[in-house]
Amino acid sequence: VLACYYIPDFIIHCRSGKIYVEAKGYFRPEHKRKMRAVKLQHPELDIRILLYSKSKQNIKWCDRYGFKYAIYDIPTEWYYE
């Protein structure tokens, strides 16, 4: 079994706990596989994706696999959840 580690790009500390933010410009297939694996192994983590481009393909991927996402900027609401 291959051991992997996940270090998020940002961690937001808010009232409900921690939000792990992964910032993606070009969302490579290997990164998508890694994000799915982390989510499957740790469903208790609130992992969100910050997309740097409005790619329909990446938006559909986030929706399909249950990742909350934002485009360009971290929404202010994320800080106050």
Side-chain angles (χ1 to χ4, degrees):
V1 175
L2 179 64
C4 295
Y5 298 94
Y6 171 65
I7 300 172
D9 292 321
F10 306 99
I11 299 175
I12 299 172
H13 298 271
C14 58
R15 291 181 207 141
S16 62
K18 294 180 183 177
I19 296 174
Y20 299 89
V21 181
E22 190 67 27
K24 292 296 176 195
Y26 177 63
F27 204 174
R28 299 178 186 278
E30 60 269 22
H31 294 152
K32 290 178 181 179
R33 282 191 297 275
K34 183 175 183 177
M35 296 312 303
R36 285 186 59 207
V38 171
K39 189 174 183 86
L40 286 170
Q41 293 174 11
H42 300 281
E44 74 282 2
L45 297 181
D46 185 356
I47 303 171
R48 302 183 187 190
I49 310 292
L50 177 63
L51 300 168
Y52 288 153
S53 66
K54 198 171 184 176
S55 163
K56 288 182 183 179
Q57 182 180 6
N58 290 337
I59 291 169
K60 285 182 182 180
W61 183 90
C62 289
D63 287 337
R64 180 176 183 184
Y65 295 107
F67 286 92
K68 289 185 180 181
Y69 67 89
I71 301 167
Y72 307 125
D73 297 307
I74 295 174
T76 306
E77 309 87 67
W78 288 10
Y79 295 101
Y80 300 104
E81 291 186 6

